[in-house]
Amino acid sequence: MKADLYDSFAESYAAENDSSLLNAYYERPAMIALAGDVEGHRILDAGCGSGPLSAALIAKGAIVTGFDSSAAMLDLARQRLGDSADLWLADLSKPLPFADHSFDDVVSSLVLHYLEDWLSPLAELRRVLKPGGRLILSVNHPTVSVITQPDEDYFAIRQYSEDYEFDGEPAVLTFWHRPLHAMINAFISAGFRLVTVSEPGPSPDTPQELLPPRILNGEKTAFLSFIFFVLGTD
Ligand SMILES: C[S@@+](CC[C@H](N)C(=O)[O-])C[C@H]1O[C@@H](n2cnc3c(N)ncnc32)[C@H](O)[C@@H]1O
């Protein structure tokens, strides 16, 4: 497999993800809350990165398999999870190395927005889910683009790049923007049923110094960043 984008900033991204408002106190708690009771569930973490969500689900009694297309991210996941998770180098854009109906749940945090085509990956995730299984996922909230890219076409599926700083290191991420209707129609076309859509606030245990001022002063309850979906297979 060729070197993956995340290979070049794996360590700084993982360090940022472990403590940032957006990941540690917003995205991950929201995914854990949506997953609910996972005791004994076989869960696939699609695009597991350095494995923080896998670790949280294992702590709640789940049996976790993870995969990622970045070898460097997967190495960090191995360091974090040891033998407690089954970890694979695999690409969500390609057929996955798992048998049909292997998992009770698939979780996928902040991964699908890297893919131009959603239909084949969603079909693969549906294939590996047991009947009655759930796909729980988060992606960049498409509405953010109306504010941050006012000259671009919200309604188009199009690529865009943004500059980031992870743990003090610069990085450029390239995403695929999709309007909300295109996301939901892709889920439906892949045979999923929409169970829950979530636009959560930050976790109640967020350190005050990380909170945006208008949340801290009670003026707002949440901020626009990611959108979360729970999808059913039947
Ligand atoms: C924003 S990070 C999130 C990592 C992890 N899910 C988390 O929340 O901590 C996105 C991850 O998706 C992975 N990724 C991107 N495209 C992928 C693909 N086509 N197949 C598998 N993993 C992919 C990246 O390597 C990276 O680890």
Side-chain angles (χ1 to χ4, degrees):
M1 189 176 288
K2 68 177 170 47
D4 189 88
L5 172 71
Y6 268 75
D7 286 351
S8 55
F9 45 75
E11 289 203 8
S12 55
Y13 175 77
E16 175 88 16
N17 183 306
D18 279 350
S19 59
S20 70
L21 168 66
L22 288 186
N23 299 102
Y25 296 102
Y26 166 63
E27 197 279 338
R28 195 152 45 253
M31 289 290 286
I32 292 165
L34 288 170
D37 180 5
V38 292
E39 174 86 44
H41 285 213
R42 292 197 173 273
I43 299 184
L44 177 65
D45 188 351
C48 62
S50 65
L53 180 58
S54 291
L57 296 171
I58 290 165
K60 294 188 74 186
I63 303 139
V64 173
T65 297
F67 75 89
D68 202 282
S69 58
S70 159
M73 293 300 284
L74 210 59
D75 279 349
L76 294 171
R78 282 200 186 96
Q79 286 171 34
R80 185 197 299 269
L81 301 169
D83 292 338
S84 68
D86 185 20
L87 296 172
W88 296 68
L89 187 63
D91 188 333
L92 183 52
S93 295
K94 304 198 170 126
L96 295 176
F98 309 112
D100 294 0
H101 311 318
S102 301
F103 301 102
D104 298 295
D105 304 303
V106 174
V107 293
S108 190
S109 279
L110 307 175
V111 181
L112 274 175
H113 49 216
Y114 292 106
L115 307 183
E116 179 179 11
D117 170 45
W118 279 22
L119 275 185
S120 315
L122 286 171
E124 269 299 272
L125 296 179
R126 192 170 189 283
R127 177 185 69 74
V128 302
L129 275 168
K130 293 179 186 172
R134 304 174 299 170
L135 170 58
I136 305 165
L137 69 98
S138 65
V139 287
N140 287 343
H141 199 305
T143 311
V144 173
S145 73
V146 177
I147 301 158
T148 57
Q149 305 161 34
D151 296 332
E152 299 292 342
D153 185 3
Y154 165 83
F155 301 96
I157 296 176
R158 57 179 171 76
Q159 214 169 21
Y160 67 101
S161 295
E162 281 180 344
D163 294 325
Y164 284 84
E165 200 173 280
F166 297 135
D167 200 33
E169 298 287 328
V172 178
L173 293 182
T174 299
F175 304 101
W176 283 92
H177 166 81
R178 312 181 110 65
L180 187 59
H181 74 268
M183 292 185 181
I184 292 173
N185 288 338
F187 300 147
I188 293 167
S189 298
F192 285 105
R193 176 175 61 87
L194 204 51
V195 176
T196 304
V197 181
S198 178
E199 294 172 309
S203 163
D205 67 354
T206 308
Q208 288 209 347
E209 63 273 19
L210 293 184
L211 284 173
R214 292 171 84 183
I215 292 197
L216 196 54
N217 70 15
E219 204 180 318
K220 303 262 183 185
T221 53
F223 49 80
L224 268 180
S225 186
F226 307 135
I227 188 165
F228 299 74
F229 299 95
V230 179
L231 308 172
T233 51
D234 53 6

